[in-house]
């Protein structure tokens, strides 16, 4: 096997342990070795729903899920649309929390079965825990860490600096690549959630994909 094949093998073994623990924690969890099969399964699961909310996720957009659902005539609540004023942006974020299905990614998922997210506004963390009857969470294996402690560390060490840089924010981590626990007005690390178990009133499906996706 070449290096890519060994990496795929490790991802699959790691994902199998992660999926097992997520299932034990009452989540619906799946592993797909490639993006194509994952997207097909996600769209099949999404088919019965009419309205969809999307968090600020590069992962779901890189997979073409937003465009695919729009082409099917689904109602999309997406605050990443161009040209939105503050009022429209707020309205869409509120609608995301009451749609039929909310689709997002995670900042980190532990092999031990916990899901970690850090938000600046809180619309994503709210929508994925309560309000939408169905949540679909999509993550590449680059976001899977050995345990909860390493999942929490992944956010300031990797996810937040990369995200801030991608958004061209004026934060210290966007300049240095290192979290300084700043008080910048544009700080995006303001709300932290840990899903230890599936929230009682929310059906959450998790799709792990054998590849590096998002931040």
């Amino acid at each position: 096997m070449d290096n890519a094949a060994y990496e795929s093998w490790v991802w699959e073994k790691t994902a199998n342990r992660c999926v097992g623990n997520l299932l034990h924690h009452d989540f619906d969890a799946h592993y797909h070795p490639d993006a194509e099969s994952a997207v097909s399964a996600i769209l099949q699961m999404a088919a019965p729903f009419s309205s969809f909310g999307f968090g600020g996720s590069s992962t779901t957009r890189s997979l073409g899920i937003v465009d695919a659902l729009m082409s099917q005539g689904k109602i999309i609540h997406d605050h990443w649309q161009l040209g939105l004023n503050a009022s429209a942006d707020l309205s869409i974020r509120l609608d995301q929390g009451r749609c039929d299905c909310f689709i997002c990614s995670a900042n980190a998922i532990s092999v031990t079965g916990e899901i970690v997210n850090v938000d600046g506004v809180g619309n994503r963390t709210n929508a994925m825990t309560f309000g939408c009857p169905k949540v679909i969470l999509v993550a590449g294996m680059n976001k899977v860490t050995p345990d909860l402690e390493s999942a929490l560390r992944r956010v300031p060490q990797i996810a937040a600096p990369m995200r801030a840089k991608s958004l061209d924010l004026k934060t210290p981590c966007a300049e240095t690549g290192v979290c300084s626990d700043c008080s910048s007005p544009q700080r995006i690390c303001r709300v932290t959630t840990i899903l230890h178990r599936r929230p009682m009133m929310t059906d959450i499906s998790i799709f792990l994909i054998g590849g590096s996706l998002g931040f």
Side-chain angles (χ1 to χ4, degrees):
M1 293 192 295
D2 58 18
N3 287 346
Y6 286 121
E7 184 177 52
S8 297
W9 175 76
V10 169
W11 275 340
E12 182 175 0
K13 295 297 184 182
T14 302
N16 288 339
R17 296 197 304 274
C18 185
V19 165
N21 286 320
L22 288 168
L23 291 171
H24 181 68
H25 290 176
D26 204 23
F27 297 102
D28 174 49
H30 310 265
Y31 174 67
H32 289 265
D34 60 87
E36 184 178 1
S37 64
V39 171
S40 177
I42 291 166
L43 293 178
Q44 183 176 359
M45 181 175 286
F49 303 105
S50 297
S51 62
F52 294 83
F54 283 87
S57 168
S58 296
T59 297
T60 56
R61 287 166 176 78
S62 70
L63 294 172
I65 296 173
V66 178
D67 292 338
L69 291 172
M70 288 182 66
S71 71
Q72 296 174 10
K74 304 290 188 179
I75 299 168
I76 305 297
H77 302 291
D78 181 10
H79 65 275
W80 274 20
Q81 298 176 56
L82 297 177
L84 293 177
N85 59 33
S87 176
D89 178 270
L90 176 60
S91 179
I92 289 172
R93 290 177 191 264
L94 290 171
D95 287 339
Q96 289 170 354
R98 296 296 182 268
C99 59
D100 298 332
C101 180
F102 185 71
I103 302 179
C104 63
S105 189
N107 294 123
I109 300 175
S110 69
V111 171
T112 49
E114 294 92 6
I115 302 167
V116 172
N117 283 285
V118 178
D119 264 13
V121 175
N123 54 295
R124 176 180 59 142
T125 52
N126 285 354
M128 72 186 300
T129 55
F130 177 77
C132 302
K134 182 65 181 180
V135 172
I136 298 175
L137 193 155
V138 190
M141 286 301 294
N142 56 307
K143 296 185 177 183
V144 175
T145 70
D147 51 32
L148 177 57
E149 290 74 19
S150 56
L152 289 166
R153 288 196 302 270
R154 185 183 186 276
V155 180
Q157 291 179 354
I158 300 174
M162 292 177 66
R163 186 59 161 158
K165 185 67 174 179
S166 75
L167 295 173
D168 196 27
L169 299 180
K170 305 305 179 186
T171 59
C173 69
E175 294 294 327
T176 66
V178 178
C179 174
S180 60
D181 192 18
C182 74
S183 296
S184 168
Q186 291 190 319
R187 174 182 170 133
I188 57 175
C189 299
R190 295 173 181 264
V191 180
T192 299
T193 63
I194 303 171
L195 301 186
H196 300 278
R197 300 293 189 276
R198 179 185 63 81
M200 291 181 178
M201 299 179 69
T202 307
D203 180 17
I204 301 180
S205 292
I206 301 158
F207 287 85
L208 300 179
I209 299 176
S212 182
L213 298 166
F215 303 118

